[in-house]
Amino acid sequence: MKSAVNHEKNHEEVLKEKLFENNPKIPPDGGWGWMIVIAFAVANMLLMSTVNVFTLMFKDKFNDLGLSATDTTLIINLNSVVGMAMGLIIGPMLKIFGYRKVSIIGGSIFAFGIIFTAWGDNLTYFVCTYSVGSAIGLGLCSSSFPLAVNTYFKERRTKAFGIAVTISGLGPIIFPQLISLLLQFYGETGCCLILGGICLHVVAAGLLLQPIKYHYKKVPAVKIKETEIHIEISSQQEQYCSKKSDYDDSTKDKNELNLLVERKCDNDEDKKSLGKISRNSSIAASLANVEEFYCNGNGNGIQTSQLPKKPTSSLSQKIIKLFDLDLLKDLRFLNLLMGISIAVFAEINFSLLTPLILADQGYNNVSIASFMSTLGVADIIFRFCAPFIGDWLKQTPQVMCIYSFVIAIIGRGMVMFSTSLQQLLAIAVGLGVAKGFRSVYLNLVIPAYLPLERLPSASGIQMVTKGIILIMLGPLLGVIRDLTGSYTKCIYIINTVTFITISMWTIEILYMKLKKQKSMTSPSIKITSNSPS
């Protein structure tokens, strides 16, 4: 008797495994995901803050070594270019090694690049250690940590990014004061060594990025409703199947599985749905035949041409598959990609040129510092508030970015016409609001469009595109400064390229709405399985 009971329990466990076997894997949307958020926030704060304070740390040493302004800008800009160029390999690396290993490798390279920079005494040395060494690590980390957050979160993804970028936003406030203090006590070499040691915490953050397979939600498919197969007949004569049902070949196992699920059902509605299937097991076979007919073109009614066997992949095809270059055929992805790259160019250059623009307007260092501090405080506040405001407005990340671009254009334009510190600080609040929203939602535009498995490759392509845009348009601002004698005129170019992004994305949104309305009016065939009463 006891062995029979044990056998029944073991058989029930096997059926439970079958119940979970083919179910979709659902990200936790919490749990260990919050540790991932903290890891991303810490790593992002250390990486970005270190890059921002590099010139503050070495500006006096560069003067002592006799490095010109051209040499200094070469070191800084080459760091950005090398970091963006890592996008060529970051996609395949994330696919092969995963975000945890890539983040640990990247954090190690970045930290040791900063540590070895401490003994720099010539241009070549700084280029090798900082412009190339630390940039490689920065490029690896800048894609692996966001991918981990995107993997762990789906419904709460916006809130997760909002919390992460809010915490990382504390870096630009804390690090300049820390570097100033360290320079007083230890000089450039000691300060850089301590900063490199602090950056090793990026490796610790990378260790927190556990693979998602250990944290997937396991949800049994107990809610079995009547099965419907919708075949939408579009103008391109494409056929779709809206739902698929997998049934076991063995009738015995199938019936036992249904009985197990039936025991787990908590309400009459689920039991009623299960009863429909169990009373008429032939429905399963019928639906399988319908699916085979409509989805695979193997029905007896209409014969479809057999596809030829796939030839052996060539080298070019393997490269396309490895880097997922088929994404470049997606016009909507290209539109999003170009818009993000242009927006990043505008943001980076306005941030770098802000002190020079305000100096041309006649403001002193105290006023400029007050403007930047006010902008930074507003930025941090609205990084935290942005996800909640976005949920309240019920808008997509793309639309929220458009709102922030509009506010940014207005704020930058008003900077040129400000006449007092009070006006300037009010403008700083507006620009901080725009930057806070943009910092949260710009990272979510592509993840909201592409499936999770294509994000590593998309991230790499995005990094390369950003680098190309920066190289192409960056020198244009310098030419304008030389021709006009003022940095203020650069705002016209920055606002123009931002308006181009707004126009591109607005046209796309309107087109997709019209396409959706048109598809809703197209004819459809609906096949519903109902058991006989």
Side-chain angles (χ1 to χ4, degrees):
M1 178 68 72
K2 189 177 291 186
S3 61
V5 173
N6 291 335
H7 176 73
E8 184 179 349
K9 286 183 178 179
N10 292 335
H11 193 55
E12 187 170 311
E13 291 298 325
V14 173
L15 293 176
K16 281 182 180 180
E17 291 180 4
K18 288 185 179 182
L19 185 64
F20 288 105
E21 185 177 12
N22 294 320
N23 281 358
K25 296 175 180 177
I26 302 174
D29 259 321
W32 190 260
W34 297 118
M35 295 300 296
I36 303 294
V37 170
I38 294 173
F40 172 42
V42 171
N44 196 41
M45 179 176 67
L46 295 176
L47 294 168
M48 295 298 104
S49 299
T50 300
V51 172
N52 291 337
V53 300
F54 177 77
T55 52
L56 174 63
M57 188 165 47
F58 283 104
K59 61 183 179 64
D60 293 334
K61 189 169 186 177
F62 287 163
N63 290 331
D64 295 339
L65 294 174
L67 297 181
S68 64
T70 302
D71 295 333
T72 303
T73 54
L74 173 64
I75 295 171
I76 297 171
N77 289 316
L78 189 58
N79 177 274
S80 300
V81 172
V82 172
M84 297 297 181
M86 289 303 297
L88 293 170
I89 62 171
I90 189 65
M93 285 188 67
L94 287 171
K95 285 183 178 180
I96 297 171
F97 301 109
Y99 46 73
R100 190 183 198 185
K101 293 179 182 177
V102 172
S103 64
I104 293 172
I105 295 171
S108 302
I109 295 174
F110 180 81
F112 283 105
I114 297 297
I115 290 172
F116 286 117
T117 302
W119 294 284
D121 56 0
N122 58 71
L123 175 62
T124 304
Y125 189 94
F126 279 110
V127 168
C128 293
T129 56
Y130 179 75
S131 300
V132 177
S134 65
I136 291 174
L138 179 63
L140 295 176
C141 291
S142 60
S143 292
S144 54
F145 281 97
L147 177 62
V149 177
N150 282 316
T151 304
Y152 270 80
F153 289 89
K154 186 176 181 182
E155 301 298 330
R156 297 180 181 176
R157 185 178 291 169
T158 304
K159 290 184 176 65
F161 268 96
I163 294 171
V165 297
T166 300
I167 297 173
S168 62
L170 298 173
I173 298 175
I174 298 172
F175 268 66
Q177 306 301 324
L178 175 63
I179 295 303
S180 298
L181 186 64
L182 292 175
L183 286 172
Q184 292 178 12
F185 287 97
Y186 303 105
E188 292 89 351
T189 302
C191 177
C192 191
L193 286 173
I194 294 173
L195 184 60
I198 294 173
C199 289
L200 283 172
H201 286 81
V202 177
V203 178
L207 291 171
L208 293 175
L209 305 185
Q210 293 185 6
I212 185 65
K213 63 183 180 181
Y214 300 124
H215 300 278
Y216 275 128
K217 286 183 181 178
K218 292 184 178 180
V219 181
V222 296
K223 293 190 175 296
I224 303 177
K225 305 295 182 182
E226 61 179 3
T227 308
E228 294 182 346
I229 301 176
H230 298 276
I231 302 135
E232 300 292 340
I233 304 178
S234 63
S235 58
Q236 290 82 14
Q237 300 297 317
E238 294 178 340
Q239 299 176 334
Y240 299 90
C241 293
S242 64
K243 294 186 179 179
K244 293 179 70 179
S245 300
D246 294 323
Y247 294 90
D248 197 280
D249 292 335
S250 172
T251 305
K252 179 181 176 182
D253 285 351
K254 184 194 313 174
N255 292 335
E256 290 175 342
L257 183 57
N258 285 336
L259 289 174
L260 175 64
V261 176
E262 202 167 20
R263 293 178 200 155
K264 301 297 181 182
C265 292
D266 297 328
N267 53 61
D268 295 335
E269 185 180 357
D270 290 333
K271 291 179 179 179
K272 185 177 179 181
S273 299
L274 286 168
K276 292 180 180 180
I277 295 177
S278 61
R279 284 195 302 269
N280 191 357
S281 60
S282 63
I283 293 176
S286 300
L287 289 173
N289 290 335
V290 171
E291 179 193 355
E292 182 73 14
F293 175 79
Y294 285 107
C295 295
N296 301 328
N298 294 326
N300 297 325
I302 301 176
Q303 297 294 332
T304 57
S305 58
Q306 295 291 331
L307 293 174
K309 289 186 177 181
K310 215 173 182 180
T312 305
S313 298
S314 63
L315 178 61
S316 60
Q317 290 173 329
K318 290 180 180 179
I319 293 175
I320 290 173
K321 184 178 180 180
L322 179 64
F323 292 94
D324 207 355
L325 297 181
D326 284 335
L327 284 170
L328 299 178
K329 297 179 180 179
D330 189 336
L331 295 181
R332 189 178 178 192
F333 171 74
L334 289 177
N335 188 47
L336 296 175
L337 181 67
M338 292 302 300
I340 291 173
S341 301
I342 293 173
V344 168
F345 160 79
E347 175 62 28
I348 290 176
N349 281 276
F350 181 75
S351 298
L352 292 175
L353 295 178
T354 295
L356 302 175
I357 292 173
L358 295 179
D360 284 349
Q361 294 288 98
Y363 293 100
N364 57 29
N365 290 336
V366 176
S367 298
I368 294 173
S370 299
F371 173 87
M372 297 182 71
S373 298
T374 304
L375 191 153
V377 171
D379 177 19
I380 290 177
I381 293 173
F382 280 88
R383 285 186 186 197
F384 180 76
C385 297
F388 303 99
I389 296 175
D391 289 346
W392 177 62
L393 293 175
K394 300 186 185 304
Q395 297 292 343
T396 63
Q398 188 179 9
V399 173
M400 295 302 295
C401 282
I402 291 176
Y403 291 159
S404 71
F405 295 156
V406 172
I407 298 173
I409 288 177
I410 296 172
R412 293 168 191 156
M414 293 176 66
V415 167
M416 295 188 293
F417 304 102
S418 62
T419 57
S420 66
L421 180 60
Q422 290 77 14
Q423 292 178 1
L424 194 65
L425 295 181
I427 294 169
V429 172
L431 288 172
V433 172
K435 187 174 181 180
F437 276 92
R438 187 169 56 253
S439 298
V440 174
Y441 285 103
L442 200 62
N443 292 321
L444 298 173
V445 172
I446 288 181
Y449 172 63
L450 290 178
L452 188 62
E453 61 270 12
R454 307 196 77 177
L455 288 184
S457 299
S459 177
I461 295 172
Q462 182 180 335
M463 289 177 62
V464 174
T465 307
K466 287 178 184 178
I468 294 173
I469 295 295
L470 286 170
I471 293 173
M472 290 175 58
L473 299 181
L476 179 62
L477 299 178
V479 173
I480 293 174
R481 166 65 177 84
D482 293 336
L483 293 177
T484 63
S486 172
Y487 282 104
T488 305
K489 300 299 185 294
C490 295
I491 293 180
Y492 291 114
I493 299 298
I494 293 173
N495 278 351
T496 299
V497 296
T498 305
F499 181 75
I500 291 174
T501 295
I502 295 174
S503 302
M504 291 166 55
W505 285 5
T506 302
I507 293 172
E508 177 207 324
I509 291 172
L510 293 176
Y511 171 76
M512 295 305 297
K513 283 185 176 181
L514 291 174
K515 185 178 179 180
K516 185 177 180 181
Q517 291 175 357
K518 186 177 179 181
S519 65
M520 289 176 66
T521 59
S522 62
S524 63
I525 300 175
K526 181 177 179 181
I527 301 176
T528 305
S529 66
N530 290 312
S531 60
S533 56

